[in-house]
Amino acid sequence: MHTFRKYKNTHLQVPVKASLHFNEQTGNEVMALLIEKLKNIFLEAKQQQREVVFLCIGSDRYIGDSLGPLIGSMMVENGISHPVYGTLEEPVHAFNLKIALKDIYRKSENPLLISIDASLGTKEQVGDVLFNEGPLVPGKALEKMLPEVGDYHFQGIVNYLDPLPSSQFLNDTRLHTVMKLAKLITQIILDSDKE
């Protein structure tokens, strides 16, 4: 159970432990906090001689599931200094996730893996981003049995649950929401990667 602090003039709740929850309206304070946190993660990885690798999970065949590959492509196009798996050109999804993980661990002995995926939440959470320490469980909302991945992870809340089957949400998600989340997460990662 996390302890939450309310930030003045925002609707954001920030867990005191190693996780952050924010959205576009959060303000610069929380963004700066996350950028600083990521910079420290990158620095620690360098000191421990661990290569930071981004694993962007999802499929470009469904708008709601395209967040990961969109972010992967945006990071590559902007010249991120870390390896990226999962782009619009070469997505990493349920059918090739295990192959991608084998490739990552074959190329890097002890990678520090940051995974990124779309997620479902409540109606009020749509447009929010979660950043947490620990692995991501991809495909959980769709009840897929996939391996947990990542030392840290980002989740973008692209849609919400209601009585419809979960797979329907991937089709009913607005591209506008996914693009806003992709740009926001990409910008935070790129700003963290600057010297």
Side-chain angles (χ1 to χ4, degrees):
M1 188 77 173
H2 293 295
T3 308
F4 290 94
R5 273 192 305 248
K6 277 270 194 193
Y7 275 84
K8 204 161 111 182
N9 300 328
T10 73
H11 300 291
L12 173 73
Q13 294 184 336
V14 180
V16 175
K17 294 207 174 181
S19 74
L20 287 170
H21 173 182
F22 62 97
N23 56 39
E24 191 181 35
Q25 288 78 38
T26 296
N28 295 331
E29 184 179 349
V30 178
M31 301 300 174
L33 190 63
L34 180 53
I35 290 167
E36 193 60 36
K37 185 173 187 58
L38 276 176
K39 282 185 176 191
N40 288 334
I41 289 168
F42 295 161
L43 183 62
E44 278 181 39
K46 189 175 183 179
Q47 289 169 347
Q48 296 170 3
Q49 297 182 332
R50 297 181 71 188
E51 182 175 39
V52 173
V53 177
F54 286 93
L55 178 60
C56 304
I57 301 165
S59 169
D60 61 339
R61 295 179 184 265
Y62 301 98
I63 289 173
D65 201 28
S66 64
L67 180 67
L70 264 171
I71 292 169
S73 290
M74 289 176 179
M75 286 195 293
V76 170
E77 288 165 8
N78 283 282
I80 186 110
S81 67
H82 306 286
V84 174
Y85 286 76
T87 61
L88 291 173
E89 186 176 356
E90 294 182 34
V92 173
H93 44 68
F95 300 114
N96 66 359
L97 176 61
K98 290 179 182 174
I99 294 165
L101 286 170
K102 281 183 185 174
D103 192 42
I104 289 167
Y105 285 99
R106 185 176 51 81
K107 290 180 179 174
S108 184
E109 191 176 306
N110 187 20
L112 189 141
L113 202 54
I114 299 177
S115 52
I116 302 169
D117 198 6
S119 184
L120 302 175
T122 65
K123 195 170 188 176
E124 297 74 33
Q125 288 176 313
V126 173
D128 287 3
V129 176
L130 306 170
F131 177 76
N132 287 291
E133 188 171 358
L136 172 74
V137 184
K140 187 177 179 182
L142 302 179
E143 298 175 6
K144 292 183 180 179
M145 299 301 291
L146 297 171
E148 294 184 356
V149 290
D151 296 285
Y152 296 90
H153 68 272
F154 281 96
Q155 288 176 285
I157 312 294
V158 297
N159 212 333
Y160 61 94
L161 293 166
D162 73 18
L164 293 172
S166 294
S167 60
Q168 186 64 33
F169 297 110
L170 297 178
N171 297 322
D172 289 341
T173 300
R174 295 192 61 214
L175 178 59
H176 178 72
T177 303
V178 176
M179 287 300 293
K180 274 172 57 174
L181 283 166
K183 288 175 183 175
L184 181 62
I185 294 170
T186 302
Q187 192 58 57
I188 286 166
I189 292 169
L190 291 172
D191 286 352
S192 304
D193 194 40
K194 291 175 183 171
E195 289 296 326

